């Protein structure tokens, strides 16, 4: 007020300012070092200088919103997550059905080990195509495209398989089912891997895969051995219903995320799809992470599906078990994977992905030695179930590790490629086991699995040290 009454008197202006400043300094002594700045702020509310801008210390708006996204937030994510979970149930049922049905397919079509093993190898073409097209489908059609194409591939495949066509047609149709699996596997892993608490959510996602893999051999074995010897292809009537449910849940859940919406939310990934793929697969240091994760998943999925796929035949021929008991061994293995993904999904982030998997794999190798060297049915059944328990968290942990080691704009390209490339392990290694079993018997399953476990442990230890997520 004194300043306005005596605008021409510098004395009147300065005295109240000095008194104000001194009282402020007494309350906050650290401000005394900057009297000029305090006086300036009395007259003009100057903006902070650019080198002191606190906004620069905050994450970008995109990053902040990403960190808030959860499986049930925003609310639309709840329906999408449930649709993705069901999609993984179908995928698990698809993959585990091969092992339970192989003895009956072999008898129905009168085939050798090598020829029947083509049911494992044929999805490789589908997985390879999905690895190459995943990023392009996202950019052009968004997650809506994945939600339509993947369930449609499953639905069409199972209808044709249920007609039980000639065996060469069956092999070709499994390629289409493999494409549907690879596309959804890559898309939903990359999407959920970017949420908060990714280990836990991915653990549940892959637990639903395990659930499908538990139900599949259980239903198939029960229908064939207990259901008045129903033909093997009756099981695919069940799969048709599951795929139809996948289609009618996935499409409305992801309908709003079209290509334009996806490109807007992932602007940097949309700059140049070729550059993103080259950066992920060719340019160091990101290429090293992408290829190590892809090869790790290749070996892991190969172990998972080879064990789940050939365990029934192994128990029948090497452990001389009954048909139903052998089928239940496969159920026990997939149940172990399901439970392991849920329980260890909470332990893995506490230990850290790098250390946790470095612990789980040697335990799995010890169990594999017990399975191989102790020729007792019940010991083998328990050992293979425990193997499933410790194998369960490997896939989710690899996806989380990739999201932490790679920048966000490469996640769909790199993780999508790694997941789809890894999915081809479900074709390569079970086929290799069948081809070798043709000459040496199905007992070769165990040394092959042990060797693969050692290889993926070496690949895992080759990953860089894992820090916080890069955005």
């Amino acid at each position: 007020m004194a300043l306005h009454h005596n605008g021409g008197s510098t004395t009147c202006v300065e005295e109240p300012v000095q008194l104000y400043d001194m009282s402020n300094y007494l309350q906050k002594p650290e401000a005394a070092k900057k009297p000029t700045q305090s006086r300036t702020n009395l007259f003009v509310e100057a903006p902070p200088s650019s080198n002191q801008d606190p906004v620069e210390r905050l994450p970008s708006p995109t990053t902040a919103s990403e960190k808030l996204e959860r499986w049930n937030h925003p609310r639309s994510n709840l329906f999408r997550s449930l649709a993705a979970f069901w999609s993984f149930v179908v995928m698990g049922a698809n993959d585990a059905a091969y092992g339970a049905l192989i003895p009956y397919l072999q008898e129905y079509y009168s085939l050798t080990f090598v020829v029947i093993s083509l049911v494992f190898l044929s999805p490789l073409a589908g997985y390879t195509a999905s690895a190459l097209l995943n990023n392009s489908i996202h950019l052009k059609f968004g997650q809506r495209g994945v939600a339509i194409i993947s369930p449609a591939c499953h639905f069409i495949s199972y209808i044709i398989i249920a007609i039980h066509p000639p065996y060469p047609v069956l092999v070709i149709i499994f390629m289409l089912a493999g494409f549907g699996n690879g596309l959804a596997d890559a898309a939903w892993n990359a999407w959920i891997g970017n949420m908060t608490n990714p280990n836990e959510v991915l653990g549940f996602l892959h637990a639903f895969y395990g659930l499908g893999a538990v139900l599949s051999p259980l239903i198939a074995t029960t229908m064939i051995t207990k259901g008045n010897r129903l033909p093997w292809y009756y099981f695919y009537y069940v799969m048709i219903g599951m795929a139809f449910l996948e289609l009618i849940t996935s499409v409305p859940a992801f309908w709003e995320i079209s290509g334009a919406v996806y490109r807007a939310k992932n602007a940097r990934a949309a700059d140049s799809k070729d550059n993103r793929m080259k950066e992920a697969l060719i340019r160091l240091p990101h290429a090293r992470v992408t290829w190590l994760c892809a090869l790790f998943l290749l070996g892991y999925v190969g172990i998972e599906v080879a064990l789940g796929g050939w365990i029934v035949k192994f128990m029948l021929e090497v452990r001389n078990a009954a048909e139903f008991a052998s089928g239940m061994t496969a159920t026990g293995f997939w149940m172990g994977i399901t439970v392991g993904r849920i329980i260890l999904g909470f332990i893995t982030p506490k230990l850290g992905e790098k250390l946790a998997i470095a612990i789980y794999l040697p335990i799995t190798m010890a169990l594999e030695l017990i399975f191989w060297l102790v020729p007792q049915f019940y010991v083998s059944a328990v050992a293979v179930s425990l193997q499933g328990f410790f194998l369960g968290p490997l896939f989710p942990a690899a996806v989380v590790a990739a999201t932490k080691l790679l920048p966000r704009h490469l996640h769909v390209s790199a993780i999508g490629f790694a997941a789809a490339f890894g999915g081809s392990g479900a074709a390569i290694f079970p086929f290799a086991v069948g081809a070798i079993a043709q000459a040496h018997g199905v007992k070769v399953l165990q040394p092959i699995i042990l060797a693969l476990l050692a290889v993926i442990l070496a690949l895992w230890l080759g990953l860089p040290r894992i820090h916080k997520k890069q955005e």
Side-chain angles (χ1 to χ4, degrees), residues 59-214:
S60 67
T62 302
T63 305
S65 63
E66 287 293 332
K67 288 185 177 179
L68 291 174
E69 188 167 331
R70 298 175 179 271
W71 71 275
N72 58 352
H73 178 81
R75 188 171 296 180
S76 56
N77 274 4
L78 174 61
F79 188 27
R80 290 170 187 157
S81 296
L82 293 175
F85 290 166
W86 180 253
S87 180
F88 266 61
V89 171
V90 177
M91 290 162 54
N94 178 87
D95 288 348
Y98 300 144
L101 295 177
I102 269 185
Y104 311 105
L105 284 168
Q106 191 173 14
E107 179 185 354
Y108 184 83
Y109 288 106
S110 302
L111 303 172
T112 63
F113 273 116
V114 174
V115 178
I116 194 63
S117 296
L118 288 173
V119 300
F120 289 116
L121 189 61
S122 63
L124 176 61
Y127 281 115
T128 303
S130 68
L132 297 175
L133 296 175
N134 172 59
N135 197 50
S136 298
I137 290 172
H138 272 79
L139 291 176
K140 188 168 185 179
F141 303 110
Q143 289 173 324
R144 176 198 293 178
V146 177
I148 295 172
I149 296 171
S150 177
C153 288
H154 288 149
F155 187 61
I156 294 169
S157 299
Y158 302 149
I159 289 175
I160 296 174
I161 295 169
I163 301 172
H164 52 96
Y167 187 69
V169 177
L170 199 67
V171 171
I172 294 171
I173 290 305
F174 281 134
M175 297 180 188
L176 184 62
F179 180 75
N181 265 28
L183 193 60
D185 196 13
W188 308 150
N189 269 297
W191 176 57
I192 290 181
N194 280 298
M195 292 182 177
T196 54
N197 302 318
N199 267 298
E200 291 86 339
V201 183
L202 280 170
F204 275 95
L205 179 71
H206 287 270
F208 278 97
Y209 176 95
L211 176 62
V214 167

Side-chain angles (χ1 to χ4, degrees), residues 369-381:
L369 282 171
I370 294 171
F371 184 14
W372 181 13
L373 300 176
V374 181
Q376 298 291 331
F377 170 78
Y378 291 109
V379 173
S380 297

Side-chain angles (χ1 to χ4, degrees), residues 92-419:
N94 178 87
D95 288 348
Y98 300 144
L101 295 177
I102 269 185
Y104 311 105
L105 284 168
Q106 191 173 14
E107 179 185 354
Y108 184 83
Y109 288 106
S110 302
L111 303 172
T112 63
F113 273 116
V114 174
V115 178
I116 194 63
S117 296
L118 288 173
V119 300
F120 289 116
L121 189 61
S122 63
L124 176 61
Y127 281 115
T128 303
S130 68
L132 297 175
L133 296 175
N134 172 59
N135 197 50
S136 298
I137 290 172
H138 272 79
L139 291 176
K140 188 168 185 179
F141 303 110
Q143 289 173 324
R144 176 198 293 178
V146 177
I148 295 172
I149 296 171
S150 177
C153 288
H154 288 149
F155 187 61
I156 294 169
S157 299
Y158 302 149
I159 289 175
I160 296 174
I161 295 169
I163 301 172
H164 52 96
Y167 187 69
V169 177
L170 199 67
V171 171
I172 294 171
I173 290 305
F174 281 134
M175 297 180 188
L176 184 62
F179 180 75
N181 265 28
L183 193 60
D185 196 13
W188 308 150
N189 269 297
W191 176 57
I192 290 181
N194 280 298
M195 292 182 177
T196 54
N197 302 318
N199 267 298
E200 291 86 339
V201 183
L202 280 170
F204 275 95
L205 179 71
H206 287 270
F208 278 97
Y209 176 95
L211 176 62
V214 167
L215 294 174
S216 179
L218 178 63
I219 295 170
T221 303
T222 302
M223 289 176 69
I224 295 170
T225 62
K226 304 293 185 182
N228 297 321
R229 304 295 295 186
L230 290 172
W232 62 269
Y233 50 83
Y234 272 48
F235 168 72
Y236 280 93
Y237 294 133
V238 176
M239 294 299 294
I240 290 170
M242 294 174 68
F244 179 72
L245 184 57
E246 180 190 16
L247 185 65
I248 63 173
T249 54
S250 295
V251 173
F254 291 96
W255 184 260
E256 293 181 359
I257 309 182
S258 61
V261 172
Y262 177 81
R263 290 192 299 273
K265 292 175 66 176
N266 300 270
R268 192 172 178 189
D271 289 344
S272 171
K273 62 184 180 182
D274 294 332
N275 286 342
R276 295 286 77 80
M277 189 61 77
K278 286 179 182 177
E279 188 176 351
L281 300 181
I282 298 174
R283 297 174 190 164
L284 294 173
H286 303 318
R288 173 191 172 191
V289 174
T290 302
W291 281 107
L292 282 174
C293 288
L295 292 170
F296 176 85
L297 292 178
L298 177 77
Y300 164 74
V301 175
I303 291 166
E304 180 184 77
V305 179
L307 260 178
W310 285 106
I311 188 65
V312 175
K313 195 73 173 175
F314 180 88
M315 290 299 194
L316 284 169
E317 297 195 359
V318 180
R319 297 290 185 255
N320 299 314
E323 285 186 348
F324 185 76
S326 298
M328 290 305 98
T329 305
T331 298
F333 170 72
W334 291 109
M335 181 67 77
I337 283 182
T338 304
V339 175
R341 282 172 174 167
I342 294 173
I343 295 177
L344 296 181
F346 291 93
I347 297 174
T348 300
K350 290 180 172 58
L351 296 174
E353 291 80 18
K354 192 77 178 285
L355 175 61
I357 302 309
I359 293 172
Y360 301 156
L361 277 173
I363 294 173
T364 308
M365 293 170 73
L367 289 165
E368 176 58 31
L369 282 171
I370 294 171
F371 184 14
W372 181 13
L373 300 176
V374 181
Q376 298 291 331
F377 170 78
Y378 291 109
V379 173
S380 297
V382 172
V384 79
S385 297
L386 289 174
Q387 275 183 281
F389 179 81
F390 288 103
L391 284 170
L394 265 62
F395 199 119
V399 173
V400 173
T403 65
K404 292 181 177 180
L405 291 169
L406 295 169
R408 189 184 184 283
H409 69 279
L410 293 182
H411 286 178
V412 168
S413 297
I415 297 173
F417 174 83

